[in-house]
Amino acid sequence: TSSTKPLREYEVLSVEFQRVETPFIIGIWIFFASLAKIGFHMTPKLSKIFPESCLLIVVGVVVGVLLFQADSVHVSPLTPDTFFLYMLPPIILDAGYFMPNRLFFDHLGTILLFAVLGTIFNTLSIGASLWVLGKSGLFRCETPLLDMFLFSALISAVDPVAVLAVFEEIHVNEILYIVVFGESLLNDAVTVVLYHMFETYSEMGPSRITYTDILSGLASFVVVAIGGTIIGVIWGFATGFVTRFTDEVRVIEPIFIFVMAYLAYLNAEIFHMSGILAITFCGITMKNYVEANISHKSHTTVKYTMKMLSSSSETIIFMFLGVATVNNAHVWNTWFVLMTIFFCSVYRIIGVIVLTALANQFRLHKLDKVEKFVMSYGGLRGAVAFALVLLIDPKHVPLQPMFVTTTIAVIYFTVFIQGITIKPLVKILNVKRAEKRKPTMNERIHERIMDHIMAGIEDIVGKHGNYHVRDKFKRFDNKFIRPFLVRDHRGAEPKILETYSKLAMKDALDYIRRNASTI
Amino acid sequence: MGNRSSLLLREEEIAQIQEATGFTPNQIERLYSRFTSLDRGDCGTLSREDFLRIPELAINPLGERIVNAFFEESGNDRVNFLQFMQVLAHFRPVKKNNPNRLNSRQEKLKFAFKMYDLDNDDLISKDELLAILHMMVGANISEEQLTSIAERTIVEADENGDGMISFEEFCKALERTDVEQKMSIRFLS
């Protein structure tokens, strides 16, 4: 402190690292993660074979080993709080904001089936199987039923970060993509509930659990899911409303979008609702209105900032996952690890087969064998599971260190083995690939006509299907919501106008480029 | 009502409709019950008013044109059940092993094309396109903007430079669209 320092001399140069330590280290982390990313893109051979997420984990492990040798891992970079509060929201907001809404709602039934029933099925079956095996003495340790369920709740959730990271690179067709990705987003509600439920149960001890506790668990699922969604939608509408008045101060438009979405996330987390659902639906909702309100430049800013934030978060998460692997608190239990991986894969496959059979009863586009395979194979586990396992209190659950090691093993297995093989497999199985495109004027108009035709036919047949519901929502939106949230509300078909002005702008730019000398 | 209507449909009628449209007997009976509930006059055929009494259809911008498609099939001002089914058959999902006549991609596209083509000359003119845009987009858009949208749409699709969109050009413009998927509904069986 200053009292011990000689005060007489005025120091021209002094070193004070303490004060800047935390932000400096964070800066260094981001810097190195980004450097690593540049590195991969400069070595095309490497990034063709390995998905980026694998390479980032490897870099993380290397850094971890270096830090471990230098004995300076006093700050573990991937703590549950940094993960859930700072690193996860940008990725999910990016996903929700750029969600193909129509595709998402068309397949919502299937997505919900997988996210809710699928996750519950996986949790219960994995937990029960591990417990039964534990009874047989294979793991050479005490395996209480509730602890097993707590573990299976966190390990059975498909991870949105890992799924996005792998699926973005392979470009499978849009239906496959939206089903797997939608599942990974929406299953958060189920995971949060099951996790908190079993955490509380295992603290209470099995003898004191009553039927009411189980019933309130079920009730809390509904509350967590619907509550999170409603919070998100409300913040989404609010964002639309606020941006209605920003036409004089264009520079703060992106701020509202980011801050209000983040507030939606935190707001949901305050009440232990699903923050992931809240921010997803906030993004989905706000996009409809915000895009009509903000300037073209703000829109570009929002787009690139969002992409940048999410991709750097993703980079850092995978790198931290690698770093966090290297420590000396591991409890390796070969059978437990093997059996967990085995059950995760087997029950994923069984779940997909059963649930697609169920979903196909109601679907126009039936999910075929190849799609089922990619769906079960694409069920990657990732950092959400890792952050959740770190949250378990070892005082209540003595097996926690073993769970941590096993979770890391499962993540490595899915990210490395499944992540590396999925690209060639998709090629071998000849999965339909996605084609990126912007709609032409003809497509936009004729497809809207088809929507109206289909809505009309559904009304004639008396079937209240997708088209009917969308038609109703659109009418409601145009009459009661858009006029309040959109500054310059014009006409019932904003998409047609939007496509037109985009194409016109592109034409103008092309014209300028070609005839630069005439201007 | 379901029971009564199924009594009215004879086996051979069902077989005939099944042959003509590809619907299953169950679907036919279901749709027949819908048909009779739309048929207020109980005369076995539907009039224009019977259709337009469906509240959502009346406010559908294309409602009238969709209804017209049924009467075009029948040729007069009443639609019987077979004609009703023949129009609906366009919207059956496409099965891979069964290249059916009414619900092929071509037929689905033809149905959409007819929504524009009022004068049946197999060409969409600028005026026909404008009329549709008017109905869909509503009143708040300036006439000039709608016109330039229509012009742009035609220029984009028009290949032979006649300033109109022919059916071939229409199909070409929708090459990348999954019409089979978009213009199908799952009829409950």
Side-chain angles (χ1 to χ4, degrees), chain A residues 361-378:
Chain A
Q361 302 282 318
F362 304 97
R363 289 177 57 87
L364 202 57
H365 169 97
K366 312 282 185 222
L367 296 162
D368 61 22
K369 261 188 231 147
V370 173
E371 285 166 324
K372 280 182 210 175
F373 176 78
V374 176
M375 281 165 72
S376 41
Y377 208 73

Side-chain angles (χ1 to χ4, degrees), chain A residues 120-185:
Chain A
I120 293 176
F121 166 76
N122 276 316
T123 303
L124 295 183
S125 52
I126 293 172
S129 308
L130 285 176
W131 175 69
V132 169
L133 274 188
K135 280 265 154 196
S136 74
L138 183 66
F139 304 141
R140 296 173 193 287
C141 63
E142 199 68 34
T143 52
L145 180 63
L146 288 172
D147 293 3
M148 287 298 122
F149 276 131
L150 178 60
F151 175 65
S152 68
L154 66 92
I155 203 71
S156 58
V158 173
D159 184 79
V161 184
V163 167
L164 267 177
V166 167
F167 273 60
E168 292 253 282
E169 284 179 47
I170 55 177
H171 297 299
V172 289
N173 69 68
E174 44 186 16
I175 293 179
L176 209 45
Y177 175 77
I178 201 73
V179 171
V180 178
F181 172 54
E183 178 199 349
S184 70
L185 275 183

Side-chain angles (χ1 to χ4, degrees), chain B residues 90-141:
Chain B
H90 288 92
F91 303 101
R92 286 180 52 237
V94 187
K95 290 251 163 59
K96 272 178 204 136
N97 47 4
N98 177 18
N100 186 284
R101 43 278 126 144
L102 286 175
N103 63 346
S104 65
R105 179 187 172 93
Q106 187 82 2
E107 285 295 319
K108 285 178 196 292
L109 281 168
K110 195 91 204 170
F111 191 97
F113 187 78
K114 284 208 178 123
M115 289 290 124
Y116 297 90
D117 185 22
L118 276 193
D119 53 7
N120 276 326
D121 61 352
D122 276 335
L123 291 168
I124 302 175
S125 68
K126 191 175 118 189
D127 289 332
E128 284 169 332
L129 190 58
L130 257 181
I132 281 267
L133 283 173
H134 257 293
M135 288 194 274
M136 277 206 307
V137 180
N140 294 359
I141 300 291

Side-chain angles (χ1 to χ4, degrees), chain B residues 141-152:
Chain B
I141 300 291
S142 70
E143 193 61 37
E144 300 93 78
Q145 196 162 14
L146 276 190
T147 311
S148 47
I149 290 179
E151 276 164 0
R152 156 121 219 167

